[in-house]
């Protein structure tokens, strides 16, 4: 049975075409790229605000598809933003573009391993894995560029139709300039030294085999450029022995070659694209090094008629490189420091899922420009060069042609631009672009990595200053009592083994502390929840808290919301064993969950995730039971700012002051010198959260877990709306 993908799309009245946002275009493109038909596309009618893409239904040929409306989709799917996939047999919903695409690649790879699709997930399968709330790179690819390019395409459409919104000069969004700046940065490679060593061995081996007339690496292409006696550029190519699947042909380089350098470019052909390195060696340095080793005509290196070191270097090189064997001698002198990785793809030297997502965005924009790209070249040349290379890959081009895009036309048009010396600023002299803003590539907000930003580290005077502001304003944390007082225990011996959170070889003392943490939260939920309530365990991990709630409160529906697939699969296994039918699993980022619920809970949600959970509870007018964690990881996002409450803002507590409190709040380990100050800062941060909820009409109790020793992060926020009856002290 095919899994159903629910994505946004509206069919036109005549039934021959449909419109959709960029996210839906990406999904169709990935299905074409993966050559899979194991999914059924369910297009759900939606708002037309970002439906910038129009297609003939013919592009869906060979795929299973239909159109429906939101009320007709399953209830679990209505609780999340589209696109999403629903697996009824496991009660699992996956939501969000990156989550969904990663799932498609993994599932398709299982049955089509010869395509090596898993390679698209990159190093340690980390491509687009981090959620947008903490990763600037995922946010740019999944959220920002999708929105800004959609808006730009809609403006271009308005220009074509001559609508009032049309204009002769359009603004390039800042997000596009961020991507351009990203391509200009130095390429990052994991295990850099090891990778360089492998590339150097491959290069030397191929050049030596070529010189000896042997067979070179079947997946490698080497392009050597040097200068002959007339000072003209000469190219010596070491071909590959055979063509492999997905061959992209000879890779054309658009780099300019400096007359003082020997340059060697090596391309390793992979299943998904080409990995390239450049070796660059200054001629004069080469001449000196080789002369020292007795491998070069010393007369050329000491020629007094040559006025510059560059001229002497050229003569030295020309006297050296007479053929393949001479080139082999030269290459043997190269070192690892001569290796330069080429930033060929968005995440480095190999193509990943990020490149396929971005290709859809850029290709959709270029299609709207009808191949008149001169107006863009002056602003985003690196993006256009990347797009040209992507379009030269046969697998990408094939998927693009199935989407109805003229990929060959795009390549040809870009070829003309790259070869032209006169860049015309404008499309048919009627349209031009300006940059939205000057992009500062060194700005912290510009950090585009897979991982979260570095934590703020505060100095002692900064902590004292922040605490002084709060003391002057007479703001002190008020710690209350748990609703059940000290009676928070659960008799674990009466529960099935799979309800118990015990894992593997974890020490018994740690298991005991985990049980104590769960007892505090579960009993707090029991004091609030009523039969028929929907309880949501946010950042549920392996489901320890949610499973206990589902078992002890069988008349309630429990949702487990977690971004990490591995954690949810552990939950799924335990739920199957317990045969619990009141649990639904959601793999998605927090902001993709939009369902209504009655009680939201989370245990040790890291940093800003705690505030996102609190925000979701307030939006749904739901009660909450929250145990925060990782205060030093708090960072403002596109959804959150700090401080949260007006009470803290009005005393002029700055964002940096708040980060300082968060840094100090993580110093709460037992029996350390800073424990007392750390606990104070931790409670002050949570007081800001409590004040924020109270400003929204909540009754909030900030109390502590019992016993305190169960975890250093032992604050507990319990909040109820004024219309829900609760037993809170």
């Amino acid at each position: 049975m095919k899994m159903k993908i629910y994505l946004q799309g509206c069919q036109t009245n005549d039934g021959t075409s449909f419109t959709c946002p960029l996210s839906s275009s990406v999904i169709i493109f990935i299905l074409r790229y993966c050559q899979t038909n194991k999914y059924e596309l369910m297009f759900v009618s939606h708002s037309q605000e970002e439906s910038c893409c129009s297609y003939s239904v013919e592009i869906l040929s060979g795929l299973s598809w239909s159109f429906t409306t939101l009320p007709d989709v399953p209830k679990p799917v209505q609780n999340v933003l589209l696109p999403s996939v629903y697996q009824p047999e496991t009660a699992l919903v996956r939501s969000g573009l990156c989550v969904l695409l990663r799932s498609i690649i993994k599932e398709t790879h299982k049955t089509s391993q010869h395509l090596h699709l898993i390679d698209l997930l990159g190093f340690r399968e980390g491509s687009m894995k981090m959620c947008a709330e903490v990763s600037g790179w995922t946010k740019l690819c999944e959220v920002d560029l999708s929105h800004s390019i959609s808006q730009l395409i809609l403006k271009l459409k308005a220009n074509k139709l001559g609508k009032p919104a049309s204009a002769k000069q359009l603004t390039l969004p800042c997000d596009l300039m961020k991507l351009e700046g990203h391509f200009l940065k130095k390429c990052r490679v994991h295990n850099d030294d090891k990778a360089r060593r492998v590339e150097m061995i491959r290069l030397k081996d191929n050049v030596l085999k070529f010189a000896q007339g042997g067979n070179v690496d079947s997946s490698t292409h080497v392009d050597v450029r040097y200068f002959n006696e007339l000072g003209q550029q000469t190219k010596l190519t070491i071909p590959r022995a055979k063509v492999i699947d997905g061959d992209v042909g000879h890779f054309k380089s658009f780099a300019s070659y400096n007359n003082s350098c020997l340059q060697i470019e090596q391309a390793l052909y992979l299943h998904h694209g080409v990995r390239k390195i450049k070796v660059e060696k200054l001629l004069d340095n080469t001449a000196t090094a080789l002369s020292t080793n007795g491998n070069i005509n010393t007369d050329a290196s000491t020629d007094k008629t040559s006025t510059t070191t560059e001229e002497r270097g050229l003569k030295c090189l020309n006297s050296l490189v007479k053929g393949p064997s001479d080139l082999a001698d030269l290459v043997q002198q190269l070192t690892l420091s001569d290796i330069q990785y080429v930033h060929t793809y968005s995440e480095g030297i190999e193509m990943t899922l990020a490149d396929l997502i971005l290709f859809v965005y850029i290709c959709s924009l270029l299609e709207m420009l009808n191949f008149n790209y001169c107006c863009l070249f002056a602003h985003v040349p690196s993006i256009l060069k990347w797009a040209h290379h992507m379009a030269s890959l046969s697998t990408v081009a094939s998927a693009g042609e199935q989407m109805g895009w003229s990929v060959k036309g795009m390549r040809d048009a870009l070829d003309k631009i790259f070869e032209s010396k006169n860049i015309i600023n404008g499309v048919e002299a009627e349209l031009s672009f300006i940059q939205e803003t000057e992009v500062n590539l060194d700005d912290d907000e510009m950090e585009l990595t897979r991982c979260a930003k570095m934590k703020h580290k505060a100095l002692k005077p900064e902590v004292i200053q922040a605490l002084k502001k709060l003391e002057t304003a007479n703001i002190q944390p008020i710690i209350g009592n748990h609703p059940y007082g000290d009676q928070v225990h659960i008799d674990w011996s009466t529960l099935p083994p799979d309800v118990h959170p015990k894992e593997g070889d974890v020490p018994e003392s740690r298991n005991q502390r985990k049980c104590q943490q769960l007892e505090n939260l579960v009993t707090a939920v029991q004091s609030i929840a009523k039969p028929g309530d929907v309880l949501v365990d946010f950042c549920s991990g392996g489901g320890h808290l949610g499973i206990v709630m589902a078992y002890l409160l069988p008349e309630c529906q429990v949702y487990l919301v977690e971004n990490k697939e591995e954690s949810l699969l552990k939950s799924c296994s335990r739920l199957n064993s317990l045969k619990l039918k009141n649990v639904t699993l959601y793999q998605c980022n927090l902001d993709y969950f939009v369902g209504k619920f009655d009680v939201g809970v989370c245990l040790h949600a890291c940093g800003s995730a705690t505030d996102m959970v609190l925000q979701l509870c307030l939006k749904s007018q739901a009660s909450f039971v929250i145990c925060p964690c990782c205060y030093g990881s708090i960072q403002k996002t596109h959804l959150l700012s700090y401080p949260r409450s007006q009470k803290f803002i009005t005393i002029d507590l700055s964002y940096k002051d708040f980060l300082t409190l968060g840094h100090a709040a993580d110093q709460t380990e037992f029996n350390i010198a800073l424990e007392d100050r750390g606990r104070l800062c931790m409670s002050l941060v949570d007081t800001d959260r409590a004040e924020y909820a109270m400003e929204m009409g909540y009754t909030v109790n900030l109390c502590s877990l019992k016993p305190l020793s169960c975890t250093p992060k032992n604050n507990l926020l319990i909040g109820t709306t004024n219309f829900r009856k609760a037993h809170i002290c």
Side-chain angles (χ1 to χ4, degrees):
M1 183 177 177
K2 294 182 179 181
M3 282 190 284
K4 294 182 178 181
I5 298 178
Y6 296 87
L7 66 169
Q8 294 179 331
C10 294
Q11 194 170 21
T12 55
N13 293 333
D14 59 10
T16 61
S17 60
F18 67 97
T19 61
C20 66
L22 281 174
S23 59
S24 298
S25 297
V26 173
I27 291 170
I28 301 171
F29 177 78
I30 294 294
L31 293 178
R32 291 302 193 188
Y33 184 90
C34 294
Q35 304 173 32
T36 180
N37 190 25
K38 64 185 302 182
Y39 295 91
E40 180 180 357
L41 298 177
M42 304 292 294
F43 291 96
V44 182
S45 299
H46 65 290
S47 169
Q48 298 291 309
E49 292 181 1
E50 293 199 3
S51 287
C52 60
C53 303
S54 300
Y55 298 102
S56 166
V57 294
E58 293 178 359
I59 74 159
L60 302 175
S61 176
L63 299 174
S64 301
W65 55 273
S66 62
F67 287 86
T68 186
T69 59
L70 187 60
D72 294 327
V73 305
K75 174 61 178 175
V77 177
Q78 297 181 33
N79 288 330
V80 293
L81 295 178
L82 302 181
S84 64
V85 168
Y86 180 40
Q87 299 172 235
E89 66 280 5
T90 56
L92 173 62
V93 179
R94 304 178 195 268
S95 172
L97 182 62
C98 291
V99 165
L100 185 54
L101 295 180
R102 286 175 54 84
S103 173
I104 291 173
I105 288 172
K106 288 183 178 181
E107 287 297 320
T108 309
H109 177 73
K110 293 177 182 178
T111 55
S112 305
Q113 294 192 16
H114 66 284
L115 297 177
H116 293 268
L117 294 173
I118 204 70
D119 293 346
L120 291 171
L121 299 186
F123 181 71
R124 294 181 179 173
E125 300 183 12
S127 179
M128 311 310 293
K129 186 175 183 178
M130 293 289 290
C131 58
E133 293 86 0
V134 297
S135 167
W137 177 241
T138 304
K139 178 173 176 286
L140 181 73
C141 296
E142 184 178 34
V143 181
D144 295 342
L145 274 173
S146 177
H147 173 72
S148 57
I149 291 181
S150 294
Q151 295 304 308
L152 183 56
I153 291 175
L154 290 173
K155 290 178 182 177
L156 288 169
K157 281 187 175 182
N159 271 0
K160 284 188 175 184
L161 298 174
K163 292 184 177 180
S166 62
K168 290 185 177 181
Q169 192 175 65
L170 294 178
T171 302
L172 283 179
C174 180
D175 299 319
L176 198 63
M177 302 312 301
K178 286 182 182 181
L179 182 62
E180 174 69 16
H182 175 70
F183 276 112
L184 296 175
K185 291 186 177 181
K186 184 179 179 181
C187 184
R188 296 181 179 180
V189 179
H190 296 283
N191 299 324
D192 186 85
D193 287 343
K194 180 180 178 181
R196 287 171 182 265
R197 192 172 293 109
V198 171
E199 295 287 359
M200 183 61 75
I201 291 173
R202 181 184 292 111
L203 173 62
K204 291 182 177 180
D205 185 55
N206 278 313
V207 173
L208 182 61
K209 286 180 179 179
F210 178 69
Q212 296 172 349
N215 293 326
V216 300
D217 186 340
S218 63
S219 62
T220 305
H221 182 98
V222 181
D223 188 12
V224 184
R225 296 171 188 260
Y226 61 95
F227 297 86
N228 60 22
E229 294 177 358
L230 298 177
Q232 296 175 335
Q233 189 174 207
T234 303
K235 182 173 73 172
L236 176 63
T237 298
I238 302 175
R240 292 180 296 131
K242 63 180 181 178
V243 177
I244 62 172
D245 292 339
D247 178 21
V248 300
H250 174 64
F251 186 89
K252 296 181 180 179
S253 173
F254 300 100
S256 60
Y257 288 83
N258 189 311
N259 286 352
S260 63
C261 291
L262 167 77
Q263 295 203 356
I264 302 173
E265 189 174 280
Q266 175 172 278
L268 177 63
Y269 289 73
L270 307 171
H271 284 87
H272 305 281
V274 179
R275 185 171 72 216
K276 294 201 309 167
I277 65 162
K278 271 197 305 188
V279 179
E280 191 170 87
K281 195 74 173 179
L282 292 175
L283 300 187
D284 190 56
N285 292 346
T286 302
T288 302
L290 295 178
S291 176
T292 303
N293 291 310
N295 293 327
I296 194 169
N297 185 340
T298 55
D299 292 337
S301 63
T302 58
D303 184 1
K304 302 301 182 182
T305 63
S306 300
T307 58
T308 66
T309 56
E310 183 176 316
E311 289 177 352
R312 290 197 297 273
L314 283 170
K315 288 188 176 182
C316 289
L317 184 66
N318 291 330
S319 67
L320 173 68
V321 183
K322 301 295 185 182
S325 60
D326 294 330
L327 177 64
D329 291 336
L330 175 61
V331 170
Q332 293 303 316
Q333 308 300 320
L334 300 175
T335 64
L336 294 183
S337 61
D338 300 317
I339 290 280
Q340 296 180 33
Y341 287 102
V342 181
H343 202 158
T344 315
Y345 301 100
S346 62
E347 291 191 295
I349 59 176
E350 295 186 13
M351 190 174 83
T352 64
L353 173 60
D355 291 286
L356 297 179
I357 294 173
L358 294 172
F359 182 74
V360 175
Y361 297 166
I362 301 302
C363 196
S364 299
L365 175 60
L366 297 183
E367 279 275 314
M368 183 54 59
L369 290 172
N370 293 326
F371 310 130
N372 296 306
Y373 311 145
C374 295
C375 58
L376 284 176
F377 189 80
H379 302 285
V380 290
S382 299
I383 292 178
L384 292 181
K385 291 172 184 177
W386 162 83
H388 181 275
H389 170 56
M390 288 291 293
S392 71
L393 304 176
S394 60
T395 49
V396 174
S398 175
E401 294 290 346
Q402 292 181 73
M403 296 289 294
W405 302 330
S406 178
V407 179
K408 183 180 184 303
M410 184 178 80
R411 285 202 309 267
D412 293 343
L414 289 173
D415 276 336
K416 292 178 181 178
I417 292 178
F418 296 141
E419 294 169 2
S420 174
K421 295 181 180 179
N422 299 315
I423 302 300
I424 303 172
N425 184 25
V427 176
E428 299 177 349
E430 293 183 357
L431 181 66
S432 63
F433 287 100
I434 60 173
Q435 292 180 203
E436 180 178 359
T437 171
E438 186 112 2
V439 178
N440 181 6
L441 300 181
D442 296 324
D443 191 343
D444 287 341
E445 296 300 315
M446 287 290 301
E447 188 64 28
L448 301 178
T449 64
R450 287 180 180 175
C451 303
K453 296 179 182 178
M454 293 293 291
K455 294 181 180 180
H456 171 73
K457 294 184 178 180
L459 301 176
K460 183 177 179 180
E462 295 174 329
V463 178
I464 294 175
Q465 180 183 3
L467 289 174
K468 186 66 176 178
K469 286 185 178 181
L470 292 165
E471 182 181 356
T472 302
N474 198 29
I475 295 179
Q476 294 290 333
I478 301 176
I479 306 298
N481 297 311
H482 190 283
Y484 279 23
D486 294 330
Q487 307 302 313
V488 296
H489 304 295
I490 293 175
D491 187 356
W492 294 95
S493 63
T494 63
L495 305 181
D498 281 314
V499 176
H500 196 283
K502 185 174 182 179
E503 291 184 354
D505 298 326
V506 174
E508 185 57 35
S509 58
R510 183 174 175 180
N511 278 321
Q512 183 180 6
R513 290 196 299 273
K514 175 59 70 175
C515 288
Q516 291 170 340
Q517 296 166 24
L518 296 177
E519 289 169 352
N520 280 269
L521 272 76
V522 171
T523 52
V525 171
Q526 288 176 321
S527 72
I528 298 172
K530 304 190 304 291
D533 277 354
V534 174
L535 318 178
V536 183
D537 180 10
F538 292 102
C539 305
S540 62
H544 297 323
L545 176 58
I547 289 176
V548 177
M549 291 194 305
Y551 188 84
L552 295 179
L553 298 167
E555 295 181 347
C556 294
Q557 287 294 315
V558 178
Y559 298 161
L560 306 186
V561 178
E562 170 62 47
N563 176 264
K564 296 180 181 177
E565 180 183 30
E566 299 84 356
S567 299
L568 275 183
L569 293 180
K570 291 180 182 178
S571 303
C572 191
S573 176
R574 294 170 63 189
L575 290 169
N576 288 338
S577 176
L578 292 167
K579 294 182 172 53
L580 291 176
K581 301 300 182 182
N582 61 333
V583 180
T584 305
L585 308 176
Y586 290 91
Q587 185 193 354
C588 63
N589 298 348
L590 290 174
D591 56 326
Y592 276 83
F593 184 85
V594 294
K596 292 287 291 183
F597 58 98
D598 301 293
V599 183
V601 302
C602 71
L603 172 58
H604 289 163
C606 185
S608 300
T610 287
D611 296 290
M612 292 190 66
V613 171
L614 179 58
Q615 189 70 22
L616 287 170
C617 293
L618 300 181
K619 184 177 180 180
S620 192
Q621 294 187 323
S623 300
F624 57 82
V625 177
I626 297 174
C627 180
C629 189
C630 301
Y631 295 78
S633 296
I634 289 174
Q635 294 281 354
K636 65 180 180 181
T637 71
H638 60 297
L639 301 171
L640 301 170
S641 61
Y642 294 93
R644 303 296 293 147
S645 69
Q646 285 300 314
K647 185 172 184 177
F648 275 57
I649 292 174
T650 52
I651 67 168
D652 198 28
L653 191 73
S654 68
Y655 173 56
K656 185 178 179 181
D657 290 334
F658 200 84
L659 293 185
T660 297
L661 290 176
H663 170 74
D666 273 347
Q667 300 168 332
T668 55
E669 289 81 3
F670 302 119
N671 301 319
I672 64 171
L674 299 176
E675 179 185 349
D676 290 339
R677 191 186 73 180
R679 285 199 55 78
L680 173 61
C681 292
M682 180 175 72
S683 296
L684 286 169
V685 171
D686 288 332
T687 296
D688 174 58
R689 290 163 167 160
E691 291 286 349
Y692 179 65
M694 287 188 285
E695 290 168 2
M696 300 296 171
Y698 275 69
T699 299
V700 183
N701 176 21
L702 172 58
C703 59
S704 300
L705 303 185
K706 304 290 184 178
L708 293 177
S709 58
C710 67
T711 172
K713 301 298 183 292
N714 47 34
N715 275 358
L716 187 63
L717 286 162
I718 306 174
T720 57
T721 57
N722 290 336
F723 58 84
R724 280 186 70 93
K725 185 177 180 179
H727 308 289
I728 299 181
C729 298

